[in-house]
Amino acid sequence: MKEKGILIVVSGFSGSGKGTLMKELLTRYPQTYALSISATTRAPREGEMDGREYFFVSKDDFEKMIAKGELIEYAKYVENYYGTPREYVEKMMEEGRDVILEIEIQGALNVKKLFPDTLLLFVTPPGADELKRRLVGRGTETMDVIESRMKRACEEAQGMENYDYLIVNDDLDECVRQMHAVIQGEHLRSSRNREFIEEIREDLERLKGEE
Amino acid sequence: MKEKGILIVVSGFSGSGKGTLMKELLTRYPQTYALSISATTRAPREGEMDGREYFFVSKDDFEKMIAKGELIEYAKYVENYYGTPREYVEKMMEEGRDVILEIEIQGALNVKKLFPDTLLLFVTPPGADELKRRLVGRGTETMDVIESRMKRACEEAQGMENYDYLIVNDDLDECVRQMHAVIQGEHLRSSRNREFIEEIREDLERLKGEE
């Protein structure tokens, strides 16, 4: 029944450990998932490779990509563009891979508007107490840093109910299993299997006629 | 995060093996699931026990249960009533069990109307060919029997897209795992975790105020 891949957007609180989670998911199921690689106009840093961390492009080329509709979503931070090239995502999905985009809420909602079948996942610590601990840190941060983390977390929490599922990151191993189960379960949604349903119906009608 | 149980309706093609599937699921996860026990006015058969296969009640008592709203859904087949007592289902859900109702599509849709959070699962063979094989049988059935099975399957297929998920019963072991994954994944839906989201938000706002 499973054929085309699902487009998945993963967001979450800073400090929710979603980076580690993604890495572990891809290590464990390399044939099932593909991580979307963003295009950016910022310069590569030491050790970064074109096509691995990012596709590094010029501002001119990036703006051409926007104009030609080659990006699923994009945003500008501090004078640099970041965006999701459509081609790589669609190619992976056609091959049956579930493609993961790690982006912020505004981008997430834009992707969902464009591709209503997108699965939105929000990674969160197991509870507010734990989130507090992670945000406050080990007592070595300045008040300014903590305040700005707090403010950011409050903003991040505003969009939580727009996501389809909450992925609770307490134990990494358990969390990877949960996330995999949720995504693979989604493949069984009847709304994602209209063709299968139609096929069974047609076959039954034909067979009934043959009696 | 997981507290209250989910109400699950399981339907499926005759011959989809859903009886065996339910049994296996309950054997494997006895603390997680509870199977709803129907009330009926039909007489107990040899070996059936009140409160195990069914709650056996008189026609009078059944009609009182209807009048008092003590049934989640009910239907009448061949002069006998069958229905789902509300009390047992709600008690199990309060205890955190996911409660499974094995009923037909009309009942399923009625339950969903009454309890919009109900999860609807449809059990199906892996494809039309396999369904055919199971319906036609081993060549020992009369044309009448096959025809009536065919007709029934066509009717059953009509409602498939109203179910949330299709559970493909090919290999029993794999199917039990799929079904368990789908149900446990559903516990992580953000729509089922509004309280958790509110709590995190309130805590963050409070902590921000404390700085």
Side-chain angles (χ1 to χ4, degrees), chain B residues 66-189:
Chain B
I66 298 175
K68 287 192 201 157
E70 290 174 8
L71 298 169
I72 290 178
E73 56 83 42
Y74 69 94
K76 207 173 182 180
Y77 297 111
V78 206
E79 290 307 292
N80 282 311
Y81 282 119
Y82 295 81
T84 303
R86 180 190 293 264
E87 199 187 337
Y88 177 80
V89 168
E90 291 186 344
K91 186 171 157 276
M92 287 292 124
M93 282 169 70
E94 281 304 327
E95 290 178 9
R97 306 269 205 111
D98 297 327
V99 179
I100 300 176
L101 269 60
E102 206 190 310
I103 49 179
E104 310 282 309
I105 180 158
Q106 204 44 59
L109 298 182
N110 288 339
V111 171
K112 181 93 179 178
K113 233 180 277 167
L114 221 60
F115 303 95
D117 287 341
T118 304
L119 185 64
L120 302 184
L121 307 182
F122 192 92
V123 183
T124 172
D129 287 348
E130 176 60 20
L131 184 55
K132 270 187 208 173
R133 259 193 298 278
R134 296 191 197 177
L135 291 173
V136 173
R138 287 162 297 179
T140 55
E141 305 288 354
T142 64
M143 286 289 260
D144 272 7
V145 168
I146 295 177
E147 226 171 89
S148 100
R149 282 188 191 168
M150 237 33 97
K151 214 181 131 221
R152 177 140 185 221
C154 287
E155 287 163 11
E156 287 164 340
Q158 284 321 305
M160 279 175 88
E161 72 267 42
N162 295 305
Y163 286 76
D164 297 306
Y165 294 92
L166 303 181
I167 304 294
V168 181
N169 193 4
D170 190 0
D171 174 70
L172 178 66
D173 185 62
E174 172 58 21
C175 185
V176 170
R177 262 190 293 137
Q178 266 187 1
M179 190 163 163
H180 182 63
V182 162
I183 299 170
Q184 295 318 304
E186 271 293 311
H187 277 281
L188 303 176
R189 282 226 155 241

Side-chain angles (χ1 to χ4, degrees), chain B residues 190-204:
Chain B
S190 48
S191 56
R192 293 186 196 273
N193 292 283
R194 294 289 186 214
E195 277 180 36
F196 176 86
I197 293 176
E198 276 316 307
E199 212 181 287
I200 278 215
R201 273 191 197 139
E202 281 166 24
D203 258 65
L204 283 170

Side-chain angles (χ1 to χ4, degrees), chain A:
Chain A
M1 227 166 60
K2 185 189 161 181
E3 284 150 10
K4 223 192 147 202
I6 294 178
L7 186 58
I8 303 154
V9 166
V10 177
S11 308
F13 289 114
S14 315
S16 64
K18 60 180 189 295
T20 315
L21 179 58
M22 294 304 94
K23 222 170 160 180
E24 186 59 28
L25 189 76
L26 276 127
T27 306
R28 234 182 265 186
Y29 309 99
Q31 301 308 315
T32 309
Y33 301 108
L35 197 61
S36 156
I37 301 164
S38 298
T40 184
T41 56
R42 82 151 165 76
R45 292 181 192 138
E46 180 95 25
E48 286 183 342
M49 227 170 76
D50 186 48
R52 192 178 65 190
E53 282 79 12
Y54 287 97
F55 295 113
F56 296 100
V57 298
S58 69
K59 199 179 163 214
D60 241 36
D61 284 347
F62 199 101
E63 283 169 354
K64 271 182 207 148
M65 289 170 88
I66 298 175
K68 287 192 201 156
E70 290 173 8
L71 297 169
I72 290 177
E73 56 82 42
Y74 69 94
K76 205 174 183 181
Y77 298 112
V78 205
E79 291 304 295
N80 283 312
Y81 282 119
Y82 294 81
T84 304
R86 180 190 291 266
E87 198 187 337
Y88 177 81
V89 168
E90 289 185 344
K91 185 171 158 274
M92 287 292 124
M93 283 170 69
E94 282 304 327
E95 289 178 10
R97 305 268 204 113
D98 297 327
V99 180
I100 300 176
L101 269 59
E102 207 190 310
I103 50 179
E104 310 283 308
I105 179 156
Q106 204 44 59
L109 297 182
N110 288 339
V111 172
K112 181 93 182 178
K113 235 180 275 168
L114 222 61
F115 303 95
D117 286 342
T118 304
L119 186 62
L120 302 184
L121 307 183
F122 192 92
V123 182
T124 172
D129 287 348
E130 176 60 21
L131 184 55
K132 272 187 207 176
R133 258 194 300 278
R134 296 191 197 177
L135 291 173
V136 173
R138 286 162 298 179
T140 54
E141 304 290 355
T142 64
M143 285 291 260
D144 272 7
V145 169
I146 295 177
E147 226 170 88
S148 101
R149 283 190 190 167
M150 237 33 97
K151 212 181 134 222
R152 176 138 186 224
C154 288
E155 288 163 11
E156 287 164 341
Q158 285 320 307
M160 281 174 86
E161 71 268 44
N162 294 305
Y163 286 76
D164 296 308
Y165 293 93
L166 304 181
I167 304 296
V168 180
N169 192 4
D170 190 0
D171 174 70
L172 178 68
D173 184 63
E174 172 60 20
C175 186
V176 171
R177 262 190 292 136
Q178 266 188 2
M179 191 163 163
H180 182 63
V182 161
I183 298 169
Q184 296 317 305
E186 271 293 311
H187 278 281
L188 303 174
R189 283 225 155 241
S190 47
S191 56
R192 294 185 195 273
N193 292 282
R194 295 288 186 216
E195 277 179 37
F196 176 87
I197 293 176
E198 276 317 307
E199 211 181 288
I200 278 214
R201 273 192 196 139
E202 280 165 24
D203 258 66
L204 282 169
E205 290 296 335
R206 198 177 60 235
L207 187 61
K208 199 175 66 173
E210 280 170 14
E211 292 311 309

